Amino acid sequence: MSSRRLVLAAALALPVLASAQAPIIIKFSHVVTPDTPKGKAAQRFKELAEAKTGGRVKVEVHPNSRLYKDKEEMEALQLGSVQMLAPSLAKFGPLGVKEFEVFDLPFLFKDTEAFRAITDGAMGEELFRKLEPKGIKGLAYWDNGFQIMSANRPLHSVADFKGLRMRIQSSKVLDAQMRALGAFPQVMAFSELYPALQAGVVDGTENVPSNLYTQKIHEVQKHMTLSNHGHLAYAVIVNKKFWDGLPGDIRGQLEAALKEATAYANAIASTENDAALASIRASGRVTLHTPTPAELNAWKQALMPVHKAMEPRVGKATIAAAYRAAGFVAPK
Ligand code: LMR
């Protein structure tokens, strides 16, 4: 081969060599701040994934809706613009996988173990299988604990909700829940919550203390009720085509990283939320109310009809399976 040809051949081979060494990029987008349970677990996954793959994978975590808002991030995952997300379970209904809204049924879980009994069991796997035709693979469930209610007026009795515009995630069960309390639900992206409360576009919301505190919701709300009526958790999901196309050894290392990150996420959720609640209390800007047993019972009586009303949407069998797994006992 002439020297000119040799140079040409070498130049052509260069990009191939360079790309063989380039790391596989995983963009992991989420909507909360880095100092939340999900934010911390995403960061932990990044560190573990990069260490376990010896740098062959690089995970770019994009927090706080920096890349995409709630609905957009799901579309971005399906299109392959991002490879990994951890949306709340409430966000799968609009995708057409309505069974996920079972997790939004009010007062379904008596504790975290009841929630895990579903996600760690056959039902958790079955729900993930329903995502596959959508081009999505479910890899893990991350817990974030119980939700409280907030508004600018005290929320003690059900009557206190009358006429309030309450921000919800895009779940029909949450919509029905707010209506059963006499409020007007308003679906809104998480990133829009603070400005909407500040401007009075909505009057109140529900969420876990870590989300409320890190979004500074205590600056724009005067009252919070520790109702623990709902539960917030996430599904760590990936673009299925991307995931299936990974070399087997790398996929295995990423699975091992995610297993550790999941244990970490689930271990910190409750202490992080306790700390956030203590910070909200210490801010002195919010009156926190712990409902009396009688008040709580009145909320439950108002909300139980939502379970039945949602059967046609979520599926009677799905609700029954969730009841069995979670050991649900209807309030008297
Ligand atoms: C919300 O939109 O309220 C939550 O899903 C945000 C989150 O991801 O924790």
Side-chain angles (χ1 to χ4, degrees):
M1 204 186 284
S2 76
S3 65
R4 205 168 142 258
R5 279 213 176 147
L6 256 179
V7 170
L8 192 66
L12 285 173
L14 259 181
V16 176
L17 285 174
S19 76
Q21 284 158 4
I24 297 167
I25 306 288
I26 296 183
K27 285 193 193 166
F28 187 162
S29 172
H30 68 76
V31 299
V32 295
T33 65
D35 53 345
T36 53
K38 176 162 66 178
K40 288 184 178 184
Q43 181 62 26
R44 179 62 67 95
F45 170 72
K46 168 189 167 67
E47 289 157 13
L48 289 162
E50 291 178 355
K52 284 187 195 292
T53 60
R56 287 169 74 202
V57 168
K58 193 167 163 351
V59 181
E60 294 174 0
V61 180
H62 297 276
N64 221 9
S65 310
R66 196 164 74 194
L67 281 189
Y68 301 105
K69 293 180 188 174
D70 309 11
K71 199 166 153 271
E72 298 159 3
E73 68 172 16
M74 203 71 99
E75 286 161 7
L77 184 88
Q78 287 180 294
L79 290 170
S81 314
V82 292
Q83 290 70 38
M84 193 168 208
L85 302 174
S88 75
L89 303 179
K91 292 184 176 145
F92 289 93
L95 208 64
V97 195
K98 301 163 192 165
E99 294 87 343
F100 272 87
E101 289 179 359
V102 73
F103 293 103
D104 300 328
L105 290 173
F107 294 111
L108 172 60
F109 303 113
K110 58 180 183 307
D111 51 28
T112 303
E113 285 64 43
F115 164 75
R116 298 253 174 87
I118 295 185
T119 52
D120 293 352
M123 195 170 168
E125 271 178 40
E126 198 185 311
L127 286 169
F128 274 165
R129 268 197 298 277
K130 291 184 192 292
L131 296 177
E132 301 209 353
K134 311 277 174 196
I136 294 173
K137 183 153 179 67
L139 297 179
Y141 291 95
W142 285 358
D143 192 13
N144 198 0
F146 287 91
Q147 311 210 45
I148 66 179
M149 289 282 191
S150 84
N152 277 324
R153 63 161 90 131
L155 298 172
H156 295 193
S157 68
V158 171
D160 296 330
F161 284 88
K162 195 160 180 57
L164 287 182
R165 291 159 302 171
M166 300 291 282
R167 181 268 170 174
I168 55 162
Q169 303 183 78
S170 56
S171 151
K172 294 287 181 228
V173 170
L174 298 179
D175 183 285
Q177 167 196 272
M178 290 302 182
R179 288 184 198 282
L181 293 170
F184 298 118
Q186 304 251 319
V187 173
M188 186 177 283
F190 186 61
S191 59
E192 286 160 9
L193 177 58
Y194 180 93
L197 285 168
Q198 192 181 36
V201 174
V202 288
D203 304 304
T205 192
E206 62 176 357
N207 223 305
V208 291
S210 58
N211 274 347
L212 295 171
Y213 182 64
T214 53
Q215 295 296 318
K216 303 191 186 338
I217 301 305
H218 57 292
E219 292 179 358
V220 287
Q221 295 277 266
K222 292 193 175 68
H223 293 272
M224 293 184 186
T225 296
L226 310 182
S227 47
N228 296 333
H229 61 281
H231 188 269
L232 183 65
Y234 309 110
V236 182
I237 55 175
V238 282
N239 177 292
K240 186 172 171 346
K241 203 164 155 213
F242 165 79
W243 190 254
D244 291 344
L246 287 172
D249 58 336
I250 290 204
R251 202 168 41 239
Q253 289 154 349
L254 292 176
E255 276 163 0
L258 188 58
K259 197 163 177 227
E260 278 184 47
T262 298
Y264 171 73
N266 292 340
I268 64 170
S270 113
T271 44
E272 292 284 322
N273 279 297
D274 288 351
L277 191 60
S279 301
I280 292 173
R281 197 187 298 273
S283 77
R285 301 176 82 137
V286 174
T287 305
L288 294 174
H289 175 66
T290 303
T292 65
E295 283 168 353
L296 214 48
N297 194 44
W299 286 39
K300 288 181 181 172
Q301 295 307 328
L303 288 170
M304 276 313 119
V306 171
H307 288 218
K308 186 99 192 117
M310 285 294 109
E311 277 178 3
R313 172 152 178 108
V314 175
K316 203 171 172 171
T318 302
I319 296 179
Y323 278 5
R324 271 196 307 278
F328 172 77
V329 181
K332 298 252 157 37

